[in-house]
Amino acid sequence: MGKTMVLLATARAATESGTRLLRAGGVQFEADVSYSGLNQALLPLRGMLDRLSDTHRDAIQVALGFGTGSPPERLLVSNAALALLQEAAVESPVLLVVDDLPWIDRASAAVFGFIARRLSGSRLSFLAASRTGADGFFESGGLPSYELPPLDAASATRLVDMRFPGLARQVRQRLLDTAQGTPLALLGLPGTLRADQRTALEALPTVLPLSRRLQSLFVSRIRNLLSATTPYATARRDRRHDDGPGSGQAAHGPRASGAWCCRPD
């Protein structure tokens, strides 16, 4: 399963057990809107704001756009958000689920990180996910994490057969070989093929077309790669134009980035 399906399955199980579910998801067009992610997560708790102290209530109302006033300090907003979640947890356990962390705005990411480190002894849980290689403002800081591996061959085949039962055998194998166990590709690639291509009446192109979602994913990864390799390329270019040994600066290669998923404490 992909990361989003893991979050959905966990959220469904939590809801069935009587846990209150709060959700937020990062989107590119809100990445520059302060506290937009926190607004998504805490909007269902707006009716509980009166349970907070005046200081916390005023701070969270301004941060979430429900009130006016000077922007509150981030630590004050973080404590107010935690207090609001703790109030909600009095009635039932609470699970906060955040998807696509790299697109969560910086202010919300800081608050989510603050909350995730203060769950011990409470009825609060926090689960978040990020794509491999995606950078963001959320700092895991030693939180428990797990990197989802690609699907094995049997699971990938079962997924494709379940969603696209009419694929010709050779077409299915080509898709399996291309997707390499990535759920998003396994589900996205068949949808880009014409009916005759799916049944092998028409030959597949040398390069399989990508869905818009896959294109968006690869574009973002290419941008990250370019931003990581540009200093290296610049340094190499500078060295080619050096007048002599020792006149240029050392070149630095791209830094690797990791992926992680925070799980309930």
Side-chain angles (χ1 to χ4, degrees), residues 159-167 172 186-191 198:
L159 177 61
V160 172
D161 287 347
M162 180 178 64
R163 294 293 297 271
F164 305 97
L167 291 176
R172 182 187 68 178
L186 290 167
L187 297 176
L189 289 174
R198 294 187 187 187

Side-chain angles (χ1 to χ4, degrees), residues 166-167 171 189-205 208-209:
L167 291 176
V171 174
L189 289 174
T192 65
L193 301 179
R194 294 188 290 271
D196 285 349
Q197 291 176 327
R198 294 187 187 187
T199 56
L201 294 177
E202 179 183 345
L204 295 179
L208 295 179

Side-chain angles (χ1 to χ4, degrees), residues 185-231:
L186 290 167
L187 297 176
L189 289 174
T192 65
L193 301 179
R194 294 188 290 271
D196 285 349
Q197 291 176 327
R198 294 187 187 187
T199 56
L201 294 177
E202 179 183 345
L204 295 179
T206 303
V207 178
L208 295 179
L210 300 179
S211 65
R212 288 191 175 184
R213 189 175 180 188
L214 284 171
Q215 288 179 26
S216 176
L217 172 61
F218 285 123
V219 165
S220 65
R221 288 188 176 182
I222 289 172
R223 285 174 178 167
N224 290 339
L225 179 62
L226 289 175
S227 64
T229 56
T230 296

Side-chain angles (χ1 to χ4, degrees), residues 136-159:
F137 301 126
F138 188 89
E139 173 54 53
S140 59
L143 292 171
S145 63
Y146 178 73
E147 186 166 351
L148 291 174
L151 296 179
D152 58 38
S155 299
T157 300
R158 187 161 57 249
L159 177 61

Side-chain angles (χ1 to χ4, degrees), residues 20-220:
R20 181 166 192 169
L21 180 65
L22 300 174
R23 296 183 181 180
V27 289
Q28 185 175 3
F29 63 85
E30 287 189 357
D32 295 327
V33 181
S34 293
Y35 296 117
S36 57
L38 191 65
N39 179 284
Q40 289 184 62
L42 300 186
L43 188 60
L45 304 182
R46 187 176 181 182
M48 295 184 177
L49 291 177
D50 289 339
R51 302 184 189 182
L52 301 179
S53 67
D54 292 345
T55 300
H56 282 166
R57 184 180 63 249
D58 292 345
I60 201 72
Q61 283 184 325
V62 172
L64 300 184
F66 302 147
T68 59
S70 301
E73 293 291 332
R74 189 166 297 172
L75 181 60
L76 179 58
V77 175
S78 299
N79 277 309
L82 180 59
L84 183 59
L85 290 171
Q86 289 171 337
E87 284 292 333
V90 171
E91 300 177 356
S92 64
V94 174
L95 172 61
L96 174 56
V97 175
V98 183
D99 198 3
D100 289 321
L101 271 172
W103 290 120
I104 291 290
D105 63 279
R106 182 189 295 270
S108 295
V111 176
F112 289 146
F114 178 92
I115 292 170
R117 292 174 180 79
R118 289 160 177 80
L119 303 181
S120 180
S122 72
R123 300 209 296 171
L124 301 173
S125 298
F126 178 81
L127 179 63
S130 171
R131 293 196 185 281
T132 301
D135 296 324
F137 301 126
F138 188 89
E139 173 54 53
S140 59
L143 292 171
S145 63
Y146 178 73
E147 186 166 351
L148 291 174
L151 296 179
D152 58 38
S155 299
T157 300
R158 187 161 57 249
L159 177 61
V160 172
D161 287 347
M162 180 178 64
R163 294 293 297 271
F164 305 97
L167 291 176
R169 180 184 57 81
Q170 61 269 40
V171 174
R172 182 187 68 178
Q173 190 58 52
R174 171 75 182 281
L175 293 172
L176 291 172
D177 292 342
T178 301
Q180 297 183 352
T182 303
L184 186 60
L186 290 167
L187 297 176
L189 289 174
T192 65
L193 301 179
R194 294 188 290 271
D196 285 349
Q197 291 176 327
R198 294 187 187 187
T199 56
L201 294 177
E202 179 183 345
L204 295 179
T206 303
V207 178
L208 295 179
L210 300 179
S211 65
R212 288 191 175 184
R213 189 175 180 188
L214 284 171
Q215 288 179 26
S216 176
L217 172 61
F218 285 123
V219 165
S220 65

